[in-house]
DNA sequence: TGGCATT
């Protein structure tokens, strides 16, 4: 039953709308929402029915008697052509009570044919009514051992569950998520409020997710995004350079690192800065801890790094820069780079102030500059494409790193940028607390080969950022016993 | 110390 409050709201909304219609159009060619003189009320879970196969000579007053025998009618509207006003042979019907609608549907749908029609009358919930999606929940972060009954028990106190399905892979194993369909939207909403983020299932990596399931449209978009993600397109780098450009860029950076890696310490941030300094010729000879030779490097110390000349535009090197919009001559002034926090090492003064600090200045402002940089990309692409989160893939054994003590403001993108100089990053993930949406300051990076991972550990483990030093080590295998 | 998922 509708509560008084609901009824009053309904009455206010519908009554008001109807009056306005009447005034504006002069004629109430739609309908009157109430068949009675009293305030119209309908149940909050009332169903709007679509009535099809109605003879065009029947209007609302002719139809009412036919439907009133199943209950009090709240609203009955014959559909008319927007421009010609012609009867379209169908109508919408809402009973005050949900029960009446169900009775009418059972009694009439496909059960009789009105005079002059070839096909039986159609009585069914209108398309605009929930096809289930607005009362169906997606539940994530379940324990993979939980079965349908477990999920039901968790959700049953918020309403009547019409459907409960655990999503399973081809092998029958739970994917750790489920669909739960309630009989009403309100029940589903109540479950979200009570359960989303409320607990973390044993063995789950994050707290319970409870949200409305994707609509058909959203599902289509999701599928397209997944496809796009698998093809490696539509990520910011690929957008700017094309797939090949992105690849070339990574290769170039790797080469850059390799070429200087043995001689002196080169932070990845320095590599960035270097790459961004289009006119910078040399970046070798920097002070710092010696770097253990890794698989990548064979060039002796002290050589000149390759001049970076093939950057196609001043927009960005790695997808995000603090560069201002392109200048008329296509060049960003060096000063602007500095004010935007990308401080390349002065090529001719390798002993200048602590390069790590400089690098961090770059890191911080780099993160801060991201929104601006994205705006800039948007300028370059009149239809700004959605940024599609990359698919998280595990690298081969020995290729997956655990990184701790990340700056709070680092996201997946910044993490990837930081490790790109060491090789092909196939995945980067910063952990985010679902409740607060704040980074937990640790994350994962996966490379496609162990050499890159080792190179990254060598250079980045202990990398000082502010008061903290990064901890970079191989990710613990999943089945590893916790040390004590 | 992930793999975050959409019938």
């Amino acid at each position: 039953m509708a509560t008084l409050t609901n009824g009053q709201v309904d009455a206010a909304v519908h009554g008001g709308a109807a009056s306005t219609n009447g005034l504006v159009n002069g004629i109430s060619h739609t309908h009157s929402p109430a068949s009675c003189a009293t305030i119209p009320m309908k149940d909050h879970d009332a169903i709007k029915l679509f009535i099809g196969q109605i003879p065009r000579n029947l209007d609302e007053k002719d139809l009412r008697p036919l439907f009133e025998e199943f209950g009090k009618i709240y609203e009955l509207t014959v559909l008319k052509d927007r421009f010609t006003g012609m009867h379209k042979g169908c109508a919408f019907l809402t009973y005050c009570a949900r029960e009446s609608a169900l009775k009418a549907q059972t009694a009439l749908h496909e059960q009789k044919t009105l005079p002059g029609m070839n096909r039986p009358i159609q009585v069914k919930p209108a398309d605009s009514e929930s096809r289930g999606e607005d009362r169906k929940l997606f539940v994530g972060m379940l324990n993979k051992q939980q079965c349908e009954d477990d999920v039901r028990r968790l959700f049953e106190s918020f309403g009547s569950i019409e459907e409960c399905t655990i999503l399973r892979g081809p092998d029958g194993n739970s994917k750790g998520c489920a669909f739960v369909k309630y009989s009403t939207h309100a029940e589903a909403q109540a479950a979200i409020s009570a359960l989303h983020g409320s607990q973390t299932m044993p063995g789950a990596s994050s707290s319970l997710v409870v949200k409305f399931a994707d609509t058909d449209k959203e599902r289509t978009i999701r599928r397209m995004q997944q496809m796009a993600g698998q093809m490696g397109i539509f990520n910011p780098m690929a957008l700017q350079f094309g797939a090949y450009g992105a690849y070339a860029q990574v290769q170039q950076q790797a080469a850059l690192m390799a070429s200087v890696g043995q001689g002196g310490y080169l932070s990845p941030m320095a590599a960035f800065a270097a790459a961004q300094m289009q006119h910078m010729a040399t970046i070798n000879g920097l002070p710092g801890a010696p770097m253990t030779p890794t698989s990548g490097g064979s060039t002796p110390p002290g050589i000149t790094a390759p001049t970076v000349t093939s950057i196609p535009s001043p927009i960005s090197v790695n997808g995000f820069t603090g560069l201002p919009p392109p200048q008329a001559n296509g060049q960003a002034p060096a000063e602007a780079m500095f004010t935007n926090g990308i401080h390349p090492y002065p090529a001719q003064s390798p002993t200048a102030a602590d390069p790590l600090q400089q690098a961090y200045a770059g890191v911080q402002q780099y993160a801060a500059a991201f929104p601006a940089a994205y705006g800039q990309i948007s300028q370059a692409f009149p239809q700004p494409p959605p940024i599609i989160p990359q698919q998280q893939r595990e690298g081969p054994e020995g290729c997956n790193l655990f990184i701790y003590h990340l700056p709070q403001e680092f996201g997946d993108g910044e993490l990837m940028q930081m490790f790109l100089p060491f090789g092909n990053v196939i995945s980067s993930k910063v952990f985010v607390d679902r409740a607060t949406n704040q980074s937990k300051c640790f994350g994962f990076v996966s490379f496609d080969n162990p050499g890159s991972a080792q190179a990254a550990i060598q250079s980045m483990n202990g990398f000082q950022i502010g008061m903290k030093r990064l901890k970079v080590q191989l990710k613990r295998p999943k089945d590893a016993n916790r040390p004590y």
Side-chain angles (χ1 to χ4, degrees):
Chain A
M1 277 300 291
T3 64
L4 184 57
T5 307
N6 271 343
Q8 285 170 331
V9 170
D10 285 345
V13 169
H14 288 270
S19 322
T20 306
N21 263 345
L23 284 173
V24 170
N25 296 327
I27 318 158
S28 179
H29 72 264
T30 51
H31 56 89
S32 165
S35 58
C36 43
T38 57
I39 297 170
M41 288 226 229
K42 70 177 170 77
D43 290 357
H44 68 283
D45 58 354
I47 305 167
K48 186 182 201 175
L49 295 172
F50 171 84
I51 315 294
Q53 300 297 322
I54 306 170
R56 288 171 201 269
N57 59 335
L58 299 186
D59 65 13
E60 282 91 353
K61 75 171 176 352
D62 304 311
L63 293 168
R64 275 189 176 273
L66 177 62
F67 295 105
E68 259 168 351
E69 66 172 286
F70 303 101
K72 192 156 115 187
I73 292 171
Y74 173 75
E75 193 171 353
L76 173 61
T77 315
V78 166
L79 273 70
K80 297 188 168 133
D81 184 278
R82 186 184 304 192
F83 302 108
T84 66
M86 233 172 69
H87 193 305
K88 290 170 82 169
C90 49
F92 286 128
L93 166 65
T94 309
Y95 286 99
C96 295
R98 178 185 179 85
E99 203 44 44
S100 310
L102 297 174
K103 280 199 302 198
Q105 181 176 2
T106 307
L108 298 176
H109 180 61
E110 300 257 4
Q111 297 305 304
K112 65 189 284 188
T113 302
L114 294 175
M117 303 308 289
N118 302 323
R119 298 190 4 92
I121 191 169
Q122 303 291 300
V123 179
K124 54 192 181 188
D127 282 348
S128 62
E129 291 295 270
S130 154
R131 290 186 311 284
E133 278 149 346
D134 73 340
R135 51 197 173 93
K136 183 170 207 165
L137 301 177
F138 173 83
V139 183
M141 283 293 120
L142 288 168
N143 178 322
K144 291 189 171 58
Q145 265 63 257
Q146 286 175 296
C147 67
E148 269 80 359
D149 280 350
D150 296 322
V151 176
R152 270 182 192 276
R153 273 193 285 279
L154 194 57
F155 284 81
E156 66 190 359
S157 62
F158 304 99
S160 81
I161 297 172
E162 287 187 6
E163 203 181 295
C164 175
T165 325
I166 303 268
L167 271 74
R168 297 177 188 282
D171 51 3
N173 291 333
S174 165
K175 290 179 169 177
C177 51
F179 290 112
V180 173
K181 190 199 235 173
Y182 282 101
S183 59
T184 69
H185 177 79
E187 291 168 345
Q189 184 59 64
I192 291 176
S193 305
L195 293 177
H196 179 66
S198 65
Q199 54 197 292
T200 301
M201 296 302 169
S205 58
S206 184
S207 60
L208 192 67
V209 173
V210 183
K211 56 206 247 198
F212 287 111
D214 280 357
T215 61
D216 282 351
K217 192 182 281 182
E218 287 164 334
R219 193 161 7 146
T220 307
I221 292 168
R222 184 185 297 277
R223 289 225 179 98
M224 282 163 50
Q225 287 179 344
Q226 278 170 353
M227 262 189 287
Q230 276 157 20
M231 291 187 294
I233 58 173
F234 290 163
N235 64 55
M237 273 177 68
L239 276 166
Q240 290 172 76
F241 303 120
Y244 173 73
Y247 171 79
Q249 196 59 41
V250 171
Q251 295 304 103
Q252 187 174 61
Q253 289 197 354
L256 195 66
M257 284 305 296
S259 68
V260 297
Q262 310 222 352
Y265 187 100
L266 176 71
S267 82
M269 286 305 135
F272 285 35
Q276 272 163 322
M277 256 319 253
Q278 295 183 38
H279 305 297
M280 192 169 178
T282 60
I283 54 169
N284 62 312
L286 296 170
M291 189 167 144
T292 305
T294 60
S295 63
S298 59
T299 314
I303 62 104
T304 297
T307 303
V308 180
T309 53
S310 60
I311 296 168
S313 89
I315 291 174
S316 150
V317 170
N318 285 311
F320 327 100
T321 81
L323 298 185
Q327 304 298 298
N329 63 3
Q331 298 288 333
E335 263 171 48
M337 291 188 187
F338 279 84
T339 56
N340 279 283
I342 308 298
H343 280 244
Y345 296 172
Q348 309 309 327
S349 47
T351 54
D354 184 357
L356 293 180
Q357 289 302 324
Q358 287 192 9
Y360 182 50
V363 169
Q364 280 184 312
Q365 299 192 37
Y366 181 87
F370 173 69
Y374 182 65
Q376 197 176 306
I377 293 169
S378 299
Q379 286 174 15
F381 295 86
Q383 292 287 334
I387 293 196
I388 299 189
Q390 64 166 141
Q391 184 175 319
Q392 299 299 329
R393 282 192 296 142
E394 180 167 10
E397 176 87 29
C399 300
N400 306 297
L401 300 181
F402 170 71
I403 297 104
Y404 201 40
H405 299 315
L406 287 168
Q408 178 70 46
E409 64 273 22
F410 259 43
D412 296 356
E414 287 80 7
L415 185 60
M416 165 167 289
Q417 296 301 324
M418 187 158 58
F419 284 85
L420 268 176
F422 304 101
N424 290 325
V425 175
I426 61 177
S427 163
S428 67
K429 185 78 190 165
V430 171
F431 252 63
V432 170
D433 183 287
R434 208 194 297 288
T436 64
N437 227 20
Q438 295 281 300
S439 162
K440 290 183 169 173
C441 297
F442 71 88
F444 302 90
V445 167
S446 296
F447 287 100
D448 62 358
N449 72 86
S452 296
Q454 286 303 323
I457 291 172
Q458 288 297 332
S459 290
M460 295 306 290
N461 188 35
F463 182 74
Q464 185 166 351
I465 300 182
M467 299 299 291
K468 299 189 296 186
R469 289 179 181 277
L470 285 186
K471 179 166 155 182
V472 180
Q473 50 192 225
L474 285 179
K475 181 171 96 76
R476 210 153 59 197
K478 254 190 208 89
D479 49 9
N481 292 328
R482 302 193 113 256
Y484 311 114

